[in-house]
Amino acid sequence: MIRPTLYNKFFFLLTFFISLSYFYSQKKFTIVLDAGHGGSDIGANRNYSDIGSVQEKNVTLGIVLKLGRMLEKNKDYKVIYTRKIDEYPSLTNRTDLANRSKADLFISVHVNSSPSKSATAQGTETFVQGPNQNKANLDVAKAENDVIFLDEKDKENFASYNPSSPESLIALKIQQSKYLEASLIIGGLVEENFVKKDKRMSRGVKQENLHVLRMNAMPSILIETGFVNNYDDAHYISTEEGQQAIAESIFNAITSYKKMVDRNVKEPEPEKPVEQPLKNDFRILLMSSPNKYTTEDSALKGLKYILPIKENGFYKYYYGTTNYASVRDNNLKTAKDAGFRNSTAISFVPNQTLGSSSYYTIEIYVGKDKLDSKSNILKTLPEIIRNKENGTFYYTYGKYKTLEEAVKAQKDFESKGITNTIIEKKSK
């Protein structure tokens, strides 16, 4: 069971969480109730001589319908059921329904079972999305509709949504963290009520790899209401009184959770002006080094979107490019967090033409040996220039007056299979 002191630790995170586009003060608080199993999928079950057959699908439906009726009496709630009868919706259908509904909360009700027939295991436990699921959830978010997985405020803060860009990746990671922290809060409230109100034993809130939680784009919990192969638990969860008490504990947890959220909902702030692009582009200078690194080299600490530019014998490594101040600042933070503590934002004038004595060229190859006359590089670029300095051969191609022209040429070479080239700034 999560202690109240832990609630305090998580409480401030709600302020961050409520920045999602689900403005609770302006629309009904939408809850998806999922009665586990159903139809031909009986779930956990056990026969007792005095109780009869206790089947998970019936217990979960009974609890969910009782909980739903309580919630539906409050006009502030909108309740959506994954099933209201004895049928089996697939796990994918359950999560798709929740995501399409843009729900604020997903609650799945289940019955536990342990391997042994005469179980000593007893009590309730609630599961939330495990840490090893963050990557899977994130991969789904990157590939799916950004309207579902990326709220308007995040899209404003991180500029346009591009699932492959580092800026959008930052936003999505923040989004997934919001769901996990809020899930821990509501899960803790549920288990607290089971103990304090119902006097039941709680096995706590746990993080686990469960499919029905993994793909949800909202706070989600799975509640195990008791062990079907523990006599006391089975008797409790199979009775109308026990199911009603469980439903009331979950209802009270939802009510407490929503009050916590509502207390932190502030009056809408005046609409901020749309961020205007800056006059110049900004790249983050990570380091200047005499060494040439490939994009996969560990020296670049896993950062992508690196543009190396060679100047006066040194390679300068630039990360990202943007003309938005917010994205520039986030790129700089990402670079520093990666370990480039001395990184700095450098301004580039778009399409700036170099003076008559300077130009950009593409350094195609550097090595101790000459390129073979049959090499793909020489066949593709017959006008390549070769120089030898201090026993090292340098092959360069082209003269470009703007950085943008050089970048375009570099990408063209990559499409022809010529990789790991470097843009070099030279003076005549």
Side-chain angles (χ1 to χ4, degrees), residues 93-296:
N93 287 343
R94 297 174 201 243
T95 57
D96 284 350
L97 173 64
N99 288 334
R100 287 197 310 271
S101 305
K102 296 185 178 180
D104 301 298
L105 203 55
F106 179 90
I107 294 179
S108 187
V109 178
H110 287 255
V111 172
N112 223 336
S113 178
S114 59
S116 61
K117 290 186 177 180
S118 57
T120 56
Q122 183 178 11
T124 66
E125 56 189 352
T126 298
F127 292 94
V128 303
Q129 175 185 306
N132 62 327
Q133 294 170 255
N134 285 338
K135 184 179 185 304
N137 196 308
L138 187 62
D139 288 342
V140 172
K142 287 166 64 178
E144 292 290 345
N145 189 334
D146 58 298
V147 174
I148 294 177
F149 290 97
L150 192 60
D151 64 69
E152 292 300 324
K153 181 173 284 293
D154 280 341
K155 284 198 284 188
E156 176 187 324
N157 290 340
F158 292 93
S160 60
Y161 177 82
N162 177 348
S164 64
S165 75
E167 294 79 32
S168 293
L169 187 61
I170 292 169
L172 288 169
K173 284 182 177 178
I174 292 172
Q175 194 89 329
Q176 299 310 310
S177 175
K178 296 173 188 174
Y179 301 144
L180 176 57
E181 301 299 353
S183 300
L184 287 168
I185 293 171
I186 181 64
L189 291 169
V190 169
E191 291 297 318
E192 182 84 0
N193 286 342
F194 284 154
V195 172
K196 289 186 175 180
K197 184 180 79 67
D198 301 336
K199 309 304 179 186
R200 300 190 68 199
M201 186 183 81
S202 170
R203 296 161 62 90
V205 179
K206 302 175 181 179
Q207 299 184 35
E208 189 56 77
N209 187 3
L210 299 171
H211 180 86
V212 77
L213 302 181
R214 186 185 308 126
M215 303 305 182
N216 286 343
M218 76 282 304
S220 305
I221 58 173
L222 184 149
I223 305 169
E224 296 283 7
T225 55
F227 283 82
V228 72
N229 55 329
N230 178 284
Y231 179 82
D232 291 336
D233 275 5
H235 184 272
Y236 185 84
I237 64 178
S238 62
T239 63
E240 287 290 318
E241 295 79 8
Q243 291 178 13
Q244 182 65 30
I246 292 170
E248 287 175 0
S249 286
I250 301 172
F251 172 79
N252 292 341
I254 294 170
T255 301
S256 298
Y257 172 78
K258 186 176 183 298
K259 285 179 180 178
M260 291 170 69
V261 173
D262 289 343
R263 282 200 300 269
N264 284 273
V265 174
K266 300 177 182 178
E267 289 297 317
E269 296 180 3
E271 196 169 315
K272 294 181 180 179
V274 177
E275 183 178 10
Q276 296 300 315
L278 303 170
K279 181 180 179 181
N280 293 341
D281 293 333
F282 283 87
R283 293 179 172 85
I284 307 303
L285 177 60
L286 302 176
M287 62 177 173
S288 181
S289 170
N291 300 319
K292 178 182 177 181
Y293 300 113
T294 65
T295 55
E296 303 303 321

Side-chain angles (χ1 to χ4, degrees), residues 14-33:
L14 276 175
T15 305
F16 193 31
F17 168 71
I18 55 144
S19 66
L20 291 168
S21 58
Y22 316 134
F23 290 106
Y24 301 111
S25 60
Q26 298 179 14
K27 79 173 190 68
K28 287 191 175 184
F29 191 90
T30 303
I31 305 166
V32 172
L33 298 181

Side-chain angles (χ1 to χ4, degrees), residues 403-419:
L403 179 58
E404 285 77 7
E405 290 174 357
V407 170
K408 184 177 182 298
Q410 189 179 44
K411 291 181 178 178
D412 182 54
F413 295 151
E414 288 179 359
S415 68
K416 296 175 180 177
I418 302 174
T419 59

Side-chain angles (χ1 to χ4, degrees), residues 34-38 42 44-46 51 53-67 83 86 109-112 200 223-228 233-240 242-244 246-247:
D34 174 46
H37 304 273
I42 297 172
N45 62 93
R46 180 76 188 274
I51 303 175
S53 176
V54 182
Q55 298 183 347
E56 181 173 7
K57 68 172 186 176
N58 297 329
V59 172
T60 60
L61 185 60
I63 294 170
V64 160
L65 293 178
K66 291 176 177 61
L67 173 58
R83 69 181 182 99
D86 186 15
V109 178
H110 287 255
V111 172
N112 223 336
R200 300 190 68 199
I223 305 169
E224 296 283 7
T225 55
F227 283 82
V228 72
D233 275 5
H235 184 272
Y236 185 84
I237 64 178
S238 62
T239 63
E240 287 290 318
Q243 291 178 13
Q244 182 65 30
I246 292 170

